[in-house]
Amino acid sequence: MDKDGALKDSELEALFSTSPGNPWRNTEFPQTTITSEAGAVSLQGWLAQWSMTTLLEHKTTLKYLAYLGFEGDTRIALKLTRARRLERKKGKVQRNVFLCYVFGAAGSGKVLIDLISELLDEAQKSGIY
């Protein structure tokens, strides 16, 4: 690793060498996340990719935590929370909310934000999130 703040293909390969391989190899990754101009995955992109993976396939995240060196029971690494409306009734809301405006040229991926929002809404309705 060259410590430049971004993971190139060779660095990703080395990182996943203790696992069955890159968990996103059958996807458009890294084009589907935030990368540097050279196409290397930035820290922000890395965290975003894992956030989406955890939302959609939490078991994959738990497996890879073990592959990548998490010591102990990986199940303690993730915390399920109750629906916020239940917390609000009890007066114990423990969440931060951010308002985000998305700007970008046509075709730059802003619609993806709507898709993610819809997925989060569905996950919350079904009690997953």
Side-chain angles (χ1 to χ4, degrees):
M1 310 274 172
D2 58 14
K3 298 183 182 185
D4 65 352
L7 296 168
K8 298 175 185 71
D9 289 338
S10 60
E11 292 169 323
L12 284 167
E13 199 173 303
L15 186 94
F16 289 121
S17 66
T18 59
S19 72
N22 185 329
W24 311 298
R25 67 178 158 261
N26 296 326
T27 69
E28 300 284 324
F29 179 82
Q31 292 80 14
T32 55
T33 196
I34 303 160
T35 60
S36 69
E37 289 180 16
V41 179
S42 67
L43 174 60
Q44 187 178 7
W46 176 257
L47 296 174
Q49 188 70 28
W50 277 113
S51 294
M52 182 60 81
T53 300
T54 303
L55 174 66
L56 299 174
E57 302 172 20
H58 71 279
K59 290 181 181 180
T60 298
T61 299
L62 292 173
K63 288 178 193 174
Y64 274 81
L65 279 171
Y67 296 141
L68 298 174
F70 186 89
E71 294 182 6
D73 186 352
T74 59
R75 293 175 294 175
I76 66 168
L78 301 181
K79 179 182 177 185
L80 286 175
T81 59
R82 298 175 127 169
R84 199 157 81 170
R85 67 185 173 294
L86 297 175
E87 289 180 348
R88 215 179 283 131
K89 285 181 184 177
K90 294 180 180 182
K92 297 181 180 179
V93 177
Q94 299 177 355
R95 300 172 193 225
N96 293 321
V97 178
F98 297 94
L99 176 61
C100 175
Y101 295 98
V102 179
F103 297 93
S108 65
K110 297 181 303 295
V111 175
L112 183 59
I113 300 297
D114 288 335
L115 174 62
I116 292 169
S117 178
E118 289 176 29
L119 289 170
L120 289 171
D121 288 343
E122 288 301 314
Q124 189 171 18
K125 286 176 188 173
S126 65
I128 295 171
Y129 177 70

